[in-house]
Amino acid sequence: MRSVEEQQARVAAAAVAPRPVRVAIAESQGLMCAEEVVTERPMPGFDQAAIDGYAVRSVDVLSVGDGAGEISLPVMGSIEAGARTPSRLQPRQAARVQTGAPMPTLADAVLPLRWTDGGESRVRILRSVRSGAYVRRTGDDVQPGDVAVRAGTIIGPAQVGLLAAVGRDRVLVHPRPRLSVMCVGGELVDVSRSPGTGQVYDVNSYALAAAGRDAGAEVNRVGIISTDPRELRETVEGQVNRNEIVVIAGAVGGAAAESVRTVLGELGEMEVSRIAMHPGSVQGFGQLGRDRVPVFLLPANPVSALVVFEVMVRPLIRLSLGKRQPMRRVVQARTLAPISSVAGRTGYLRGQLMRDQDTGEYLVQALGGAPGASTHLLATLAEANCLVVIPSEVDEVRTGETVDVAFLAQRG
């Protein structure tokens, strides 16, 4: 039986980022930049007022507060943000300016409105101002030749803003990996139909597709596929040729799963093995097609399938996106009730994570992890906001003991 860490290492070794594509900056958020974005012009491109007030020569107001008496200056006009006509300030003059307005020639500072009486034709100065105060100089933020966004940076709101500020409407990025999700099982019917005797709804293709989107993938939900060898091969081969990751649920147990694995073996390397984890210990992984695309075989049980997806598939998606930390955030929490696990296997048990308002301590209540409880209840998974991780050498956790807990909330 292979350990969880060994299987995760095998999966991680197969991670390949899709080829870079150029997208509009509005569509680049959350993706990894694939180029060095070098600025061609300074930002800001001109000296501008950083605050509403009066543009002045600082030397004209130096004596304010030195006992030289009141100083007032004539106001030569008003300059608005976006003004395109150059203006020039004469000695011992002021100009009313808006935030972002171009500074008039000779002016080297802006007096905030609160340091004046707000006069229109003549302004009384209440405080002096030093040269350069409240002025954004040309190139203060970025100089020509500076790197605005580096390759390998995950593009967030600040990077999108900077790309816009330097005049870039498109940027080269590593796109979201394409994920195909499909299910096999003669008992399955789509949610648009009413199940007959012995039939159940196809839960997995919908749940796993949602999990893929949550992880950051571009998802194609194929749904239920035929197990006829010829049709199955055509379907899987087509999905392998157009996606970076393929997930097939319901292909690791029973006679039907055996025939599926036989067909997949014709397309490349596929191994079904027991992993020292629960739920979902029986699972498959391989690389199929000419590009050796990672393909996962997941259990038919929806809870087991989602847990295996969380532990094995999601980190691969995050690595393909270029995330430096592909795993969920883990904290330590004190248990509120006993938790049982399977000896020799790492347990990933659903739970509700809380925080003590007085102490700040994390507390966790296992859902379905009490002695004798089922691990296959989808309703409890929907209630969970975390997975309680129980080491393989532990089969019983007592109330009040500390355990590792992985957040399930989307963290980007």
Side-chain angles (χ1 to χ4, degrees):
M1 187 179 294
R2 186 177 293 131
S3 72
V4 172
E5 293 75 18
E6 289 172 336
Q7 184 74 352
Q8 287 176 326
R10 292 181 71 245
V11 170
V16 177
R19 293 178 180 176
V21 296
R22 197 167 295 279
V23 300
I25 61 173
E27 301 171 0
S28 67
Q29 186 172 354
L31 302 177
M32 185 169 68
C33 186
E35 65 171 320
E36 298 279 298
V37 180
V38 179
T39 60
E40 299 178 356
R41 61 188 68 183
M43 186 182 77
F46 53 90
D47 291 353
Q48 61 181 234
I51 192 172
D52 287 0
Y54 294 87
V56 297
R57 298 194 319 156
S58 59
V59 68
D60 291 336
V61 297
L62 280 178
S63 59
V64 176
D66 292 340
E70 179 181 297
I71 291 180
S72 63
L73 300 176
V75 179
M76 51 83 69
S78 179
I79 306 174
E80 298 180 350
R84 303 181 65 180
T85 302
S87 56
R88 182 181 180 88
L89 196 69
Q90 298 298 323
R92 298 194 61 77
Q93 277 188 341
R96 183 73 176 262
V97 290
Q98 292 181 353
T99 303
M103 292 288 288
T105 304
L106 295 186
D108 66 342
V110 175
L111 275 164
L113 286 176
R114 65 181 182 275
W115 293 359
T116 73
D117 67 349
E120 295 184 3
S121 60
R122 194 169 188 89
V123 59
R124 184 162 62 92
I125 312 301
L126 307 178
R127 287 182 57 177
S128 63
V129 68
R130 58 179 174 79
S131 179
Y134 303 105
V135 176
R136 294 182 65 212
R137 295 295 186 186
T138 302
D140 269 356
D141 288 346
V142 176
Q143 292 284 350
D146 285 350
V147 177
V149 180
R150 296 193 177 280
T153 300
I154 302 300
I155 298 176
Q159 286 73 30
V160 172
L162 189 53
L163 289 167
V166 300
R168 291 291 295 268
D169 62 340
R170 302 182 72 81
V171 62
L172 193 68
V173 297
H174 294 288
R176 303 183 188 281
R178 294 165 296 184
L179 168 70
S180 177
V181 178
M182 60 193 89
C183 298
V184 294
E187 77 282 10
L188 299 177
V189 295
D190 191 73
V191 295
S192 61
R193 297 173 52 193
S194 297
T197 302
Q199 293 183 315
V200 296
Y201 286 125
D202 165 26
V203 173
N204 278 326
S205 72
Y206 288 95
L208 296 173
R213 295 187 193 98
D214 181 74
E218 179 184 320
V219 179
N220 173 34
R221 189 192 69 83
V222 179
I224 306 165
I225 61 174
S226 171
T227 54
D228 174 78
R230 184 181 61 82
E231 294 183 20
L232 176 64
R233 178 177 176 130
E234 288 179 357
T235 301
V236 174
E237 195 167 23
Q239 296 304 315
V240 164
N241 288 338
R242 65 174 66 99
N243 293 279
E244 281 77 41
I245 304 171
V246 173
V247 170
I248 307 174
V252 292
E258 184 65 35
S259 64
V260 169
R261 296 198 296 271
T262 299
V263 172
L264 298 183
E266 299 171 1
L267 300 175
E269 301 173 4
M270 176 57 65
E271 177 190 64
V272 175
S273 55
R274 285 191 175 274
I275 309 302
M277 63 177 285
H278 78 95
S281 63
V282 182
Q283 53 189 268
F285 176 72
Q287 293 177 269
L288 306 184
R290 62 179 182 273
D291 294 325
R292 294 178 54 79
V293 172
V295 177
F296 294 86
L297 304 183
L298 273 53
N301 178 272
V303 170
S304 299
L306 280 169
V307 170
V308 174
F309 189 100
E310 174 69 29
V311 176
M312 298 296 173
V313 186
R314 189 180 192 278
L316 181 64
I317 294 173
R318 306 297 282 175
L319 285 171
S320 298
L321 282 167
K323 301 293 184 181
R324 296 181 179 88
Q325 176 49 265
M327 310 305 290
R328 296 277 195 180
R329 179 188 172 198
V330 174
V331 299
Q332 289 195 319
R334 183 164 54 84
T335 59
L336 295 177
I339 303 174
S340 65
S341 188
V342 179
R345 300 183 189 178
T346 303
Y348 294 91
L349 308 178
R350 305 170 300 287
Q352 287 183 334
L353 187 66
M354 298 156 274
R355 200 163 194 176
D356 190 299
Q357 292 184 349
D358 296 326
T359 66
E361 178 185 23
Y362 284 109
L363 307 171
V364 67
Q365 173 71 56
L367 303 173
S374 172
T375 60
H376 301 294
L377 300 177
L378 188 61
T380 59
L381 187 62
E383 296 173 4
N385 63 0
C386 68
L387 286 179
V388 183
V389 184
I390 308 298
S392 58
E393 65 272 14
V394 176
D395 61 2
E396 192 76 30
V397 179
R398 293 188 296 270
T399 301
E401 292 187 339
T402 299
V403 293
D404 286 341
V405 175
F407 282 104
L408 288 181
Q410 171 67 19
R411 294 286 170 178

